[in-house]
Amino acid sequence: MITLASDFGTPYPAAMKGVLCQRTTARLVDIAHDFPRQDVRAAAFWLREVLPYFPPATHLVVIDPGVGTDRHALVIRAGEHVLVGPDNGVLCPVARRLAGDGALETHVIDETRLESVAPTGQVSGANARAISGPDGDAGPASNTFHGRDVFAPAAAGVHETDRDALADLEWLSPLEDCVELELPKAVLEDERARGEVLVVDGFGNVITNVPGRFLAGRDQLVVADHRIPVGETFAAVEPGERLATVGSHGYVELDVNRGRGDVAFGLEAGDRVVLEERETAREV
Amino acid sequence: MITLASDFGTPYPAAMKGVLCQRTTARLVDIAHDFPRQDVRAAAFWLREVLPYFPPATHLVVIDPGVGTDRHALVIRAGEHVLVGPDNGVLCPVARRLAGDGALETHVIDETRLESVAPTGQVSGANARAISGPDGDAGPASNTFHGRDVFAPAAAGVHETDRDALADLEWLSPLEDCVELELPKAVLEDERARGEVLVVDGFGNVITNVPGRFLAGRDQLVVADHRIPVGETFAAVEPGERLATVGSHGYVELDVNRGRGDVAFGLEAGDRVVLEERETAREV
Amino acid sequence: MITLASDFGTPYPAAMKGVLCQRTTARLVDIAHDFPRQDVRAAAFWLREVLPYFPPATHLVVIDPGVGTDRHALVIRAGEHVLVGPDNGVLCPVARRLAGDGALETHVIDETRLESVAPTGQVSGANARAISGPDGDAGPASNTFHGRDVFAPAAAGVHETDRDALADLEWLSPLEDCVELELPKAVLEDERARGEVLVVDGFGNVITNVPGRFLAGRDQLVVADHRIPVGETFAAVEPGERLATVGSHGYVELDVNRGRGDVAFGLEAGDRVVLEERETAREV
């Protein structure tokens, strides 16, 4: 199985699927292709939360604002899973989650040694991709669409290879250091949690990095001067009312029942949040 | 085959697919994941119109504004199809359509007896989901994402079970009464149809509940004081012009050729509509 | 393998998939269902650029502003691929690309001879589709959804048939002339390219019809009185800055690094563009 995730919208992912289908009969499953554009951190969060639900698979990830620069293209073995994508940190949080206590095995892709992608009927040289080369001397890869020209062929290649033999692929070399990305951690005190908004989902739910256990035993909280109830589910409050709950990823979410939490709280990804247990007396 | 329908947008459906792929090799086909948010009636209409085109399958439906409340989670056997989703009426119209003259067989899911969903690398207790439990004592299901934690495992389970043996699954119990939902019916008179807008599609076509046969033999109609032609196809009128036609579901649609009917007519889902055959003389 | 492309949004493509799954176990791959509504030229461009990356397949294409008129429904054999869709030109550019030096083999579909689509539980006559017929006399196809009622059954039928034996299908007849569509070509001079914007992609990249080789050896250009650098990749300029580059289809694109080229240049599909190499002295 190969999963696909990108910020491409359509129809670019279809070109990647064509390349994959040329080289493998693996089942293809879309994760999402509408991740926030070029937002490495948001994609890193979602991938960490979603991919662990899959059985062992190859995961093709193309959130790649540095395409065409000298950033590396990576293959990471993480437990029974293999991740393929750019070296910008987007693969790190999910790779660590998938590896559990195990070590990561990181390879860099030598794109000049990958079998190049040859679409049917391409007139050689008619629309040469290489700017500086002579007519007809198109390079093996575009400078702007490595999803199709580098990552998809690499994903097909590793998928067709035994996970334990990745090091034998001549277009992979071991890599010591890759770009790190750590999602920020909240600071928990007895009566206060200082955290950050990781992402806002499509419903407008504000997903923070405060672990859900901070809500244990509390029935209300103060957030940005709003006192809101803690509920086990959206329906704990009336439609249109705010609440704090533990979302499906285990973090505190700031939500509105049948409404948008981001609008009600005026919060977006990256904003700092402080959740406080303040006594009523102190409010007066 | 398992079909998936929700109002989740992305990437939540991918988590459901991961759970399904852990438990079954069934083919997965998306119906839509952008149904109007928490709009049970709209989803019920679309599912009734789309699912009958499929061969026998398991259909996973998660339009679930009551997630986390005590609403039941259902499995409904309807003819050769099996539907899995919340007990809020969303499954009723399509279940009746799929069952034809046959009876429905309705089961309630005991989620505590489902094999729980265990993502790779989840640190036990790190982000405990249960609010009231001690650290590490995460419950078997989140309170906000039953699509992943209840309905997907249930859909995989029933898909892997003989349709005639659903009653033998220890996590299913017979249910007598489920929440009913009937889409409203139009009232037809000789010269007048009183109906309602069921949904507006992505093109802006206004789909009413007036059966297409009301248009038989008519070549024009009055709707909200607009006299409009009846056409067999959008192209019966010039681009930008209004018309009434019989849509692909067999109902009267109020459309604009290459434009948006909802804007031109000022109508949205739930609005009442009266289609009249008025003689010109009465307009003066 | 059957690929699907349309401007339908959701959930209409799911009805096509149901019909396909009734008749074939072929793998289904979505190209896109959010092509610009009823924009034959944009779809023709994207299909020409994407489908050649696929292995031999049947490609179902429904961008069909003339649905329900007397426009033909086509099956085109192009090399090892088969295309199914309306006769409005949308299939032409990709068919020529896929056929390479080979000839196209074009058939017209006689929809009255296709096995008609019968959804489960449809009450005969309850919502008769035919306007002029008596109650219950629904025609074999809707007038507004040939994707489901004509093109999907045809795609399943040709997919299940040997490519060399399409002429033997009783519901296909040879067709001499079909509607032509040629994407406009740019005019290249030594110091000037006169072209057109073919499409704007979801990132806002302005894709012109000027072949990438026009940029060879140049390091800047004048476009609409803006002097902009030529770069091999977006990252050749600072975030927010304009550039011209060779896009992944081999054409000159007018882009903004991590921004929207269409907004910065004020260009949209169909606009004329002139790329000039002007010396600085002439600007003064």
Side-chain angles (χ1 to χ4, degrees):
Chain A
M1 182 183 308
I2 299 176
T3 77
L4 298 92
S6 77
D7 61 355
F8 285 158
T10 62
Y12 293 117
M16 298 200 293
K17 291 180 190 178
V19 172
L20 291 170
C21 290
Q22 289 271 11
R23 296 168 186 228
T24 172
T25 58
R27 184 176 188 167
L28 306 182
V29 181
D30 288 312
I31 302 302
H33 294 290
D34 61 354
F35 280 123
R37 290 275 157 95
Q38 307 186 324
D39 184 339
V40 170
R41 198 177 87 159
F45 169 78
W46 286 117
L47 294 169
R48 188 189 70 182
E49 299 303 321
V50 171
L51 299 187
Y53 287 93
F54 278 83
T58 300
H59 304 287
L60 170 55
V61 175
V62 197
I63 286 85
D64 191 16
V67 62
T69 65
D70 57 2
R71 67 99 186 84
H72 285 133
L74 299 183
V75 170
I76 302 179
R77 161 86 183 270
E80 298 186 279
H81 295 257
V82 179
L83 299 154
V84 179
D87 183 19
N88 59 20
V90 70
L91 305 178
C92 296
V94 65
R96 284 190 295 261
R97 178 73 60 90
L98 291 171
D101 296 331
L104 298 179
E105 179 189 307
T106 304
H107 309 266
V108 63
I109 299 169
D110 179 351
E111 65 190 56
T112 66
R113 303 181 73 176
L114 272 177
E115 186 195 347
S116 65
V117 171
T120 302
Q122 179 74 44
V123 182
S124 176
N127 288 311
R129 290 198 192 100
I131 290 177
S132 49
D135 272 11
D137 185 20
S142 70
N143 289 309
T144 54
F145 194 4
H146 283 194
R148 180 190 69 192
D149 298 335
V150 176
F151 295 115
V158 298
H159 185 80
E160 296 294 311
T161 302
D162 188 293
R163 276 196 304 274
D164 294 322
L166 294 178
D168 297 339
L169 288 169
E170 74 276 12
W171 44 271
L172 290 183
S173 319
L175 186 71
E176 285 298 314
D177 289 318
C178 62
V179 174
E180 267 302 325
L181 175 71
E182 294 239 26
L183 295 173
K185 285 191 164 39
V187 176
L188 301 195
E189 302 164 11
D190 275 357
E191 298 194 346
R192 189 178 289 110
R194 299 175 186 280
E196 194 171 314
V197 177
L198 291 176
V199 294
V200 173
D201 74 10
F203 288 91
N205 298 320
V206 175
I207 302 175
T208 76
N209 62 349
V210 178
R213 66 176 185 274
F214 180 73
L215 298 190
R218 302 182 203 270
D219 56 9
Q220 46 177 296
L221 279 179
V222 175
V223 183
D225 287 331
H226 299 291
R227 181 174 297 279
I228 58 172
V230 170
E232 293 212 3
T233 178
F234 303 131
V237 299
E238 293 299 308
E241 296 292 316
R242 292 181 181 90
L243 80 158
T245 189
V246 183
S248 60
H249 312 101
Y251 292 107
V252 175
E253 289 186 12
L254 303 174
D255 303 328
V256 167
N257 185 21
R258 306 200 186 193
R260 291 193 67 92
D262 58 341
V263 174
F265 289 96
L267 288 169
E268 59 184 27
D271 286 351
R272 307 296 308 248
V273 285
V274 179
L275 312 182
E276 290 181 280
E277 184 179 11
R278 260 194 271 165
E279 292 181 27
T280 309
R282 291 174 54 195
E283 286 187 290
V284 182
Chain B
M1 182 183 308
I2 300 177
T3 76
L4 297 93
S6 77
D7 60 355
F8 285 157
T10 62
Y12 294 117
M16 296 199 295
K17 292 180 190 178
V19 171
L20 291 170
C21 290
Q22 289 270 10
R23 296 169 187 227
T24 172
T25 59
R27 184 177 190 167
L28 306 182
V29 180
D30 288 312
I31 301 302
H33 293 290
D34 60 354
F35 280 123
R37 290 276 157 94
Q38 306 185 324
D39 183 339
V40 170
R41 198 177 88 159
F45 170 77
W46 286 116
L47 294 169
R48 188 190 70 182
E49 298 304 319
V50 172
L51 298 188
Y53 287 93
F54 279 83
T58 300
H59 304 286
L60 170 55
V61 174
V62 197
I63 286 85
D64 191 16
V67 62
T69 65
D70 57 2
R71 68 98 186 83
H72 286 132
L74 299 184
V75 170
I76 302 179
R77 162 86 184 270
E80 298 187 280
H81 295 256
V82 179
L83 300 154
V84 180
D87 183 19
N88 58 22
V90 71
L91 304 177
C92 297
V94 66
R96 283 191 295 261
R97 178 73 60 91
L98 291 171
D101 296 330
L104 299 178
E105 179 189 307
T106 304
H107 307 266
V108 62
I109 299 170
D110 178 350
E111 66 189 57
T112 65
R113 301 181 75 176
L114 273 176
E115 187 195 346
S116 66
V117 170
T120 302
Q122 179 76 43
V123 182
S124 177
N127 288 311
R129 290 197 190 99
I131 290 179
S132 50
D135 272 10
D137 184 21
S142 70
N143 289 309
T144 54
F145 194 4
H146 283 194
R148 180 190 69 192
D149 297 334
V150 177
F151 295 116
V158 298
H159 185 79
E160 295 294 310
T161 302
D162 187 295
R163 276 196 304 275
D164 293 324
L166 294 178
D168 297 340
L169 288 169
E170 75 276 12
W171 43 272
L172 289 183
S173 319
L175 186 70
E176 285 297 315
D177 290 318
C178 62
V179 174
E180 267 301 325
L181 175 71
E182 294 237 27
L183 295 173
K185 284 190 164 38
V187 176
L188 301 195
E189 302 164 10
D190 276 357
E191 298 194 347
R192 189 178 289 110
R194 300 176 186 280
E196 194 171 314
V197 178
L198 290 176
V199 294
V200 173
D201 74 10
F203 287 92
N205 297 320
V206 174
I207 302 174
T208 76
N209 62 348
V210 177
R213 66 177 185 273
F214 180 72
L215 298 189
R218 303 181 203 270
D219 57 9
Q220 45 176 297
L221 278 180
V222 176
V223 183
D225 286 330
H226 300 292
R227 181 173 297 279
I228 58 172
V230 170
E232 294 214 1
T233 177
F234 303 131
V237 298
E238 294 298 307
E241 295 293 315
R242 293 180 180 91
L243 81 158
T245 189
V246 183
S248 60
H249 312 102
Y251 291 107
V252 175
E253 289 186 11
L254 303 174
D255 304 329
V256 168
N257 185 21
R258 304 198 188 196
R260 293 193 66 93
D262 57 341
V263 174
F265 288 97
L267 287 170
E268 59 184 27
D271 285 351
R272 307 295 308 245
V273 285
V274 180
L275 312 183
E276 291 182 279
E277 185 179 10
R278 260 194 270 165
E279 292 180 28
T280 308
R282 293 175 52 195
E283 287 187 291
V284 181
Chain C
M1 183 183 307
I2 299 177
T3 77
L4 297 93
S6 77
D7 61 355
F8 285 158
T10 62
Y12 294 117
M16 298 199 293
K17 291 180 190 178
V19 171
L20 291 169
C21 289
Q22 288 271 10
R23 296 170 187 227
T24 173
T25 59
R27 186 176 186 167
L28 306 182
V29 180
D30 289 312
I31 302 302
H33 294 290
D34 60 354
F35 280 124
R37 290 275 157 93
Q38 307 186 324
D39 183 339
V40 169
R41 198 177 88 159
F45 169 78
W46 286 116
L47 294 170
R48 187 189 71 181
E49 298 304 321
V50 172
L51 298 187
Y53 287 92
F54 279 83
T58 300
H59 304 287
L60 170 56
V61 175
V62 196
I63 287 84
D64 191 15
V67 61
T69 65
D70 58 0
R71 67 99 187 85
H72 285 132
L74 299 183
V75 170
I76 302 180
R77 161 84 183 271
E80 298 185 280
H81 295 256
V82 179
L83 300 154
V84 179
D87 183 18
N88 58 21
V90 70
L91 304 177
C92 296
V94 65
R96 284 191 296 263
R97 179 72 61 90
L98 292 171
D101 297 330
L104 298 179
E105 179 189 306
T106 305
H107 308 266
V108 62
I109 298 169
D110 179 351
E111 64 191 58
T112 65
R113 302 182 74 176
L114 273 176
E115 185 195 346
S116 65
V117 171
T120 302
Q122 179 75 44
V123 183
S124 177
N127 289 309
R129 290 197 192 99
I131 290 178
S132 49
D135 273 10
D137 185 21
S142 69
N143 289 310
T144 54
F145 194 5
H146 283 195
R148 180 190 68 193
D149 297 334
V150 176
F151 295 116
V158 300
H159 185 80
E160 295 294 311
T161 302
D162 188 294
R163 277 196 304 273
D164 294 323
L166 293 179
D168 297 340
L169 288 168
E170 74 276 12
W171 44 270
L172 290 184
S173 317
L175 186 70
E176 285 298 314
D177 290 318
C178 61
V179 174
E180 266 301 326
L181 175 72
E182 295 238 26
L183 295 173
K185 285 193 163 37
V187 176
L188 301 194
E189 302 164 12
D190 276 357
E191 298 194 344
R192 190 178 288 109
R194 300 175 186 279
E196 193 170 316
V197 177
L198 291 176
V199 293
V200 173
D201 74 9
F203 287 92
N205 297 320
V206 175
I207 303 174
T208 76
N209 63 347
V210 178
R213 65 177 186 273
F214 181 72
L215 298 189
R218 302 183 202 270
D219 57 9
Q220 45 177 295
L221 278 180
V222 175
V223 183
D225 286 330
H226 299 293
R227 181 173 296 280
I228 57 171
V230 171
E232 294 212 3
T233 177
F234 303 131
V237 298
E238 294 298 307
E241 295 293 314
R242 292 181 180 89
L243 80 158
T245 190
V246 183
S248 61
H249 313 101
Y251 291 107
V252 175
E253 288 186 12
L254 304 174
D255 303 329
V256 167
N257 186 20
R258 305 198 187 194
R260 292 193 67 92
D262 58 341
V263 174
F265 288 96
L267 288 169
E268 59 184 26
D271 286 351
R272 307 295 308 248
V273 285
V274 180
L275 312 182
E276 291 182 279
E277 184 179 11
R278 260 193 271 165
E279 293 181 26
T280 309
R282 292 174 54 194
E283 287 188 289
V284 181

